[in-house]
Every structure is written in structure tokens, then in C-alpha cells.
Amino acid sequence: MRILVAEDDAALRKRVAAALHEAGFAVDAVADGGQAEFLGQTEDFDAAVLDLGLPGMDGLSALARWRDAGRDFPVLVLTARSRWHDKLAGFNAGADDYLTKPFQLEELIVRLRALIRRSAGHAHPRLACGPLALDVNAGRFSLAGDPLALTAQEFRILAYFMHHPGKVIGRGALGEHVYEGGFDPDSNALDVLIGRIRRKLGPGLLHTVRGQGFVLRDAP
């Protein structure tokens, strides 16, 4: 899962990005509103963490432009403003959730996971595909009830599949959602990761659809 973080406070931006990395997300972090608006228009993100008080272009303007352009990824707004009418302005611009500074990083992560899960159409925090299960809130996989050890990149890939079970996902789309700063379609790194995940899952779950991509389903 790939997250855009737009925050002009360098120390906070670094802390948020590090916490999200630790939680298994790929992170693109920027300090300027114009850059945030551009990335949100041109890159595929699963969610964004957006400060309202950005230089260059304020967060509300960037958010409104995303929504006007049909960019519908969930957006969690960060702000030092606690007044209700400021929050209302954020929701009216298209925000999905709101955190007032200061905040706990653990709460930010839990809220992001919930936003991504709901945006993919899942009401329950436990996702399952046959013997494979993902506890979204805890950020943990299990296979047939046993913990499944994954690297950070393997986790991102498999989490994306779990949020979209039964859907054929092309290499380009998958790469855009698990790599920071974009994806090189000519690289074989993604194929190597898919092969490693298959070996850990065993047969019958992660399938190749020739000429289209990959699909996670509990079927022959």
C-alpha cells in the first residue's frame, strides 16, 4: 500500500514517514502543497495524509483539485486548527477523516488502515482468502492459523491483493501501489517478489493470468 504524506514540518514529516514504513506502507513524503497536488494527480496512492497549512498551495486547495479531477483515494487531514468550521471546510473539500495536532502516530496508522479497508469495500478488519488471513488493524498475516513471515515489500504486495481479492491486477498497477517514487516496468524485481510470496503461500492462492497480471483467489 502506497501513501502520500504532505507535511511542511520536517521533523513531523520524518516521524510520520518512518512510522508508516514500520507499519508496512510505501511512503512518498513532500513538504509543498503544489508538489502534493501534482503527485496526487499523477501517481496511484491508496491514501494520503494531508496537512492543511502547506506552503505553495494550501491543503484544502490541493484536496479540492484532486476531487474535482476524480481522484478518489481516501484523504486524512492533519491540522493544528481544532475549530469545527475548519474541520467542516476539510470535509466539504472531500476529506475522509481528520486528526488534530498533536496526535499519536499509532492512531494515525489505525485510521489510515481503516480508511483504506473501507475504500476497498471491506467492513470487517479481518480479511480472508481461503486459509490466508490479514488482521488489518494489527498489520499481521496468518496462513492456516499460523503467523506468516513476510518482508516489507512482500507484505505490501500481499496486502494489496487481500484488499482486492478476485481482481486481476496488472504488473504496472501493482508496482505503482507498492513502490515509492514510481515503478520501473522493465524491472524483474516485482516478478521475483511474486515468486517468493507464492512459495510462502503454497499452491492454489496467487495465480498468473497470462497477458493480464495476477489474481488472489482461493480456487483452482
Side-chain angles (χ1 to χ4, degrees):
M1 297 296 191
R2 187 177 173 197
I3 308 295
L4 172 62
V5 174
E7 168 59 60
D8 65 326
D9 183 315
L12 179 58
R13 184 173 65 251
K14 185 176 181 180
R15 286 175 52 229
V16 169
L20 291 176
H21 272 296
E22 182 68 21
F25 294 102
V27 182
D28 292 56
V30 299
D32 177 82
Q35 189 178 6
E37 192 270 340
F38 173 77
L39 286 177
Q41 297 278 18
T42 57
E43 299 289 338
D44 289 326
F45 293 102
D46 295 289
V49 177
L50 180 67
D51 180 42
L52 292 187
L54 294 171
M57 177 186 295
D58 66 86
L60 281 182
S61 297
L63 175 56
R65 291 191 182 190
W66 291 341
R67 297 314 192 214
D68 287 345
R71 306 295 282 175
D72 59 358
F73 52 84
V75 175
L76 189 154
V77 164
L78 300 180
T79 184
R81 309 167 190 169
S82 60
R83 294 173 298 181
W84 166 243
H85 69 82
D86 291 321
K87 295 181 180 181
L88 183 62
F91 286 124
N92 285 341
D96 299 276
D97 203 354
Y98 211 104
L99 267 180
T100 302
K101 300 175 184 178
F103 55 87
Q104 295 294 321
L105 290 171
E106 293 82 359
E107 181 179 2
L108 172 68
I109 291 168
V110 168
R111 285 175 180 254
L112 271 179
R113 285 172 171 164
L115 286 176
I116 294 169
R117 170 175 53 80
R118 290 197 297 266
S119 72
H122 303 289
H124 198 279
R126 184 181 184 276
L127 309 182
C129 181
L132 180 66
L134 170 61
D135 184 331
V136 175
N137 289 345
R140 287 195 294 265
F141 273 100
S142 61
L143 183 65
D146 295 323
L148 181 63
L150 299 166
T151 67
Q153 287 187 321
E154 291 168 358
F155 180 93
R156 293 171 195 165
I157 290 172
L158 196 52
Y160 190 74
F161 277 118
M162 284 293 281
H163 281 78
H164 304 88
K167 177 182 177 182
V168 177
I169 301 171
R171 292 180 76 259
L174 183 59
E176 287 291 336
H177 283 273
V178 299
Y179 286 98
E180 297 158 346
F183 168 65
D184 179 4
D186 295 325
S187 169
N188 70 341
L190 183 61
D191 300 288
V192 171
L193 287 167
I194 290 289
R196 288 187 349 211
I197 293 170
R198 275 205 179 104
R199 287 192 292 273
K200 292 183 178 183
L201 295 181
L205 283 174
L206 188 53
H207 309 266
T208 298
V209 180
R210 189 176 298 276
Q212 298 182 55
F214 312 96
V215 60
L216 181 73
R217 62 170 179 254
D218 184 26

